[in-house]
Amino acid sequence: MRRLFIICILALVPQFLCAQETAKYAPPAQVKASFKKMLDRPIVPLDVKITLSKAIGDGMVLEQLSFASEKKADGTIERVPTVILRPEKMTGKLPAVIVLHGTGGNKDGQIGFMKELVKRNIIGVAIDARYHGGRAGGAKGAAAYNDAITKAWLTKSGTAMEHPFYYDTVWDLWRLADYLETRPDVDAKNLGMIGFSMGGIQPWLAAAVDERIKVAVPAIAVQSFRWSLENDQWQGRANTIKTAHTQAAKDLGEPAINQKVCRALWTKIIPGILDDYDCPSMLRLFAGRPLLIVSGTKDGNCPYGGAKIAIAAAEQAYKDAGASDRLSVLIEDVGHTVTAKQRAAALDWFAKWLK
């Protein structure tokens, strides 16, 4: 049977381990500043284009739109397809939650969760991540995403390159927050973010350094990239973008994907993810803001050993901030999936803290 745990992680991981791990990272303020600087790029006008606004029943209105995120090296404007679900009848401003899909998914696949938010009087917002959905150029699933990551790997050193593996979507999410601040129906002081799998990594990257996101739920995403390499549990993560890892193995003269390949690829396409921008470091930046972590003990993509270290770092940071009541950890004895209990807990978490 599945077992649900509400964990005080310090009971499971000795406190000295938490201190030992977090001591390896720069101070939180320094991590925040350096991460924002690394991803920074010129701001372009949002140029919002609404393509659809219609009632869909159950007292809800669905909007489809796009906004400009950045001007790319080739001069083209990167636009972000967005879907918004809100109550049909509303007065004043409401909280909003950004809902992020996993590898191979798209924004429309999040509408079910968004409907549950609207029932709680919370506006739901979703975007297509880079090279997904409406940004995949017609490719299915994660094909365009894999190709883009492979292209980034092949980019010559010193040449401008994209960072489609997480980081470019982080920028899009910061720009999405800029857009939500302009909407007359959104209470921009009450924004939340939840993501699943790949989408769940985005909150502990994007929301960690953007305090406009008041409440966050990284689902089946908390882990340690460095721990997975050091403990030979990189396979699940590598298989999510196997094409790029296979190319890297070939270029490095390795007979198969291994730790050396993962280290080289990750260091280039997600720089810092094995150091200051790894999850145990980034979770510290949430301390004081409501954070719910959803994980599974049998998750091959986010190995539990690394997740425990990340959770311990968060637990210590919240304790130091005197805000332990704002951190909750729900872990089930399952693999890379979110259970019905965890899903319900996430919805309740937003309803509790977004007021």
Side-chain angles (χ1 to χ4, degrees):
M1 293 180 61
R2 291 175 175 171
R3 296 174 293 145
L4 177 66
F5 299 93
I6 302 179
I7 294 178
C8 175
I9 198 67
L10 292 180
L12 297 181
V13 181
Q15 190 165 350
F16 75 85
L17 177 60
C18 178
Q20 179 183 11
E21 289 300 320
T22 55
K24 297 178 181 178
Y25 304 114
Q30 183 177 328
V31 171
K32 176 180 178 180
S34 64
F35 187 69
K36 293 181 75 173
K37 182 178 180 180
M38 182 182 71
L39 268 63
D40 192 33
R41 53 203 76 181
I43 298 293
V44 298
L46 288 167
D47 187 28
V48 179
K49 296 179 180 179
I50 298 174
T51 56
L52 177 69
S53 180
K54 69 174 183 179
I56 61 170
D58 295 327
M60 301 181 190
V61 171
L62 183 145
E63 295 182 19
Q64 292 181 350
L65 57 94
S66 69
F67 62 88
S69 174
E70 66 170 309
K71 186 175 183 179
K72 302 176 73 172
D74 63 2
T76 61
I77 298 296
E78 183 72 29
R79 298 194 63 83
V80 184
T82 306
V83 62
I84 293 179
L85 198 63
R86 60 175 176 82
E88 186 172 10
K89 296 180 180 180
M90 56 180 291
T91 56
K93 299 182 177 184
L94 293 179
V97 170
I98 300 164
V99 188
L100 304 168
H101 63 80
T103 302
N106 57 62
K107 65 184 186 309
D108 298 321
Q110 310 315 303
I111 289 177
F113 192 89
M114 293 162 65
K115 286 182 177 179
E116 294 300 319
L117 289 169
V118 174
K119 291 177 183 178
R120 291 162 172 78
N121 226 28
I122 300 172
I123 295 172
V125 184
I127 67 169
D128 286 331
R130 296 280 177 123
Y131 296 100
H132 284 77
R135 309 170 82 178
K140 302 295 184 181
Y145 182 54
N146 269 275
D147 289 346
I149 295 170
T150 303
K151 180 180 178 181
W153 162 255
L154 294 172
T155 301
K156 293 181 179 180
S157 179
T159 303
M161 63 178 283
E162 295 186 23
H163 292 89
F165 198 22
Y166 310 135
Y167 287 171
D168 287 343
T169 298
V170 167
W171 176 260
D172 294 338
L173 291 169
W174 293 342
R175 294 294 286 145
L176 174 61
D178 291 342
Y179 166 62
L180 293 177
E181 287 182 316
T182 72
R183 287 185 62 102
D185 55 353
V186 170
D187 179 1
K189 294 182 178 180
N190 275 291
L191 300 179
M193 186 181 292
I194 183 173
F196 306 95
S197 189
M198 176 192 76
I201 291 173
Q202 301 297 348
W204 62 254
L205 289 171
V209 304
D210 190 341
E211 294 188 2
R212 291 177 296 180
I213 307 302
K214 300 301 182 183
V215 184
V217 183
I220 53 174
V222 165
Q223 60 191 292
S224 169
F225 280 77
R226 183 168 68 194
W227 186 94
S228 69
L229 277 188
E230 293 175 348
N231 292 272
D232 199 29
Q233 294 192 35
W234 46 266
Q235 293 84 354
R237 179 58 50 200
N239 283 334
T240 64
I241 52 166
K242 193 171 183 178
T243 302
H245 284 82
T246 300
Q247 181 66 51
K250 177 182 177 182
D251 294 340
L252 294 170
E254 295 295 317
I257 301 169
N258 55 29
Q259 290 166 306
K260 177 182 177 181
V261 170
C262 291
R263 184 177 297 277
L265 180 67
W266 299 354
T267 297
K268 182 172 183 178
I269 64 176
I270 36 176
I273 204 71
L274 299 176
D275 299 297
D276 282 345
Y277 310 143
D278 199 1
C279 188
S281 174
M282 298 298 281
L283 286 184
R284 301 174 302 159
L285 278 58
F286 281 105
R289 289 180 283 161
L291 175 66
L292 169 63
I293 297 171
V294 170
S295 294
T297 60
K298 298 177 180 177
D299 189 340
N301 285 16
C302 305
Y304 189 49
K308 287 194 292 185
I309 293 171
I311 295 167
E315 190 81 38
Q316 186 64 54
Y318 274 78
K319 181 180 179 181
D320 293 344
S324 294
D325 62 318
R326 291 173 174 252
L327 173 66
S328 186
V329 182
L330 277 69
I331 300 177
E332 285 203 70
D333 193 23
V334 296
H336 196 61
T337 187
V338 175
T339 69
K341 289 181 179 179
Q342 290 173 324
R343 179 186 175 98
L347 289 164
D348 290 344
W349 190 253
F350 287 121
K352 176 181 179 179
W353 293 107
L354 289 176
K355 298 178 181 179

